[in-house]
């Protein structure tokens, strides 16, 4: 009979409401405001190398050199230098601009978003989600990259095989 060593379990990966990835002044402001104003659990990952969306658990996995460092419902990306993989492993183009991007649920991009106050926009949108008990935001397919609220959906798409 084989008995596993008590410490042979996979390491526990911490889960947060928001992961702020990248190193910039905007990322520091976003993390501080989300903690203070919305009372969210926020992790900062300035050394993140990649962020991958897990379609099964509807969470983002934040990768560093040591492996998966954290999981989060929402990712705020500020640097534009990390690899971002959305649904179906699709990689986000570095030149894609917009605060919210289709195919990348619960991802907010601060750099080159085109809004005068991207940190404030993120805080308002996440606050709206909390107030209305929503856990999902994504740009509609017709607006691949957007800063407009009318081009954003808060409904998670239903796979065709479940219809």
């Amino acid at each position: 009979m084989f008995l596993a060593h008590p410490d042979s379990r996979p390491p526990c990966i911490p889960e947060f409401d928001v992961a702020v990835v990248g190193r910039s002044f905007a990322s520091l402001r976003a993390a501080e405001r989300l903690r203070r104003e919305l009372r969210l659990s926020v992790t900062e990952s300035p050394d993140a190398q990649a962020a991958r969306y897990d379609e099964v658990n509807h969470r983002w996995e934040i990768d560093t050199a040591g492996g998966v460092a954290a999981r989060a419902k929402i990712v705020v990306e500020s640097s534009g230098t990390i690899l971002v993989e959305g649904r179906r492993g699709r990689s986000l183009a570095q030149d894609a601009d917009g605060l919210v991007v289709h195919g990348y649920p619960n991802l907010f991009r601060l750099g080159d978003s085109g809004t005068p106050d991207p940190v404030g926009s993120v805080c308002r949108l996440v606050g709206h989600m909390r107030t209305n008990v929503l856990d999902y935001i994504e740009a509609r397919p017709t607006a691949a990259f957007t800063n407009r609220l009318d081009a954003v959906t808060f409904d998670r798409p239903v796979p065709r095989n479940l219809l």
Side-chain angles (χ1 to χ4, degrees):
M1 181 164 105
F2 175 75
L3 295 175
H5 190 272
D7 294 332
S8 64
R9 297 176 294 196
C12 181
I13 299 171
E15 188 164 315
F16 298 90
D17 294 322
V18 180
V20 179
V21 297
R23 183 183 309 266
S24 70
F25 181 70
S27 65
L28 294 173
R29 281 187 36 229
E32 191 270 329
R33 285 187 65 182
L34 290 168
R35 280 189 195 105
R36 183 175 39 92
E37 295 174 16
L38 300 176
R39 307 257 186 243
L40 296 173
S41 63
V42 179
T43 183
E44 296 177 62
S45 298
D47 59 340
Q49 295 178 343
R52 280 189 324 272
Y53 186 69
D54 180 2
E55 293 183 64
V56 174
N57 297 313
H58 303 289
R59 297 287 185 268
W60 284 92
E61 293 183 346
I62 309 305
D63 290 342
T64 60
V68 177
R71 288 192 178 103
K73 295 177 195 174
I74 298 170
V75 169
V76 177
E77 192 267 332
S78 67
S79 66
T81 59
I82 69 165
L83 173 66
V84 178
E85 292 181 6
R87 270 200 235 103
R88 296 179 203 95
R90 197 170 103 191
S91 292
L92 182 63
Q94 296 303 326
D95 60 346
D97 54 355
L99 189 64
V100 182
V101 182
H102 176 68
Y104 301 86
N106 294 346
L107 173 71
F108 295 97
R109 302 191 72 214
L110 298 177
D112 298 331
S113 66
T115 60
D117 180 19
V119 173
S121 297
V122 168
C123 290
R124 282 190 296 280
L125 282 170
V126 173
H128 174 79
M129 291 169 64
R130 289 195 71 187
T131 302
N132 295 295
V133 193
L134 303 167
D135 66 344
Y136 181 87
I137 185 171
E138 183 180 359
R140 291 192 176 121
T142 56
F145 313 111
T146 188
N147 296 324
R148 299 186 338 262
L149 190 58
D150 63 341
V152 171
T153 183
F154 293 97
D155 298 323
R156 182 171 286 127
V158 178
R160 290 196 177 280
N161 60 356
L162 295 178
L163 297 177

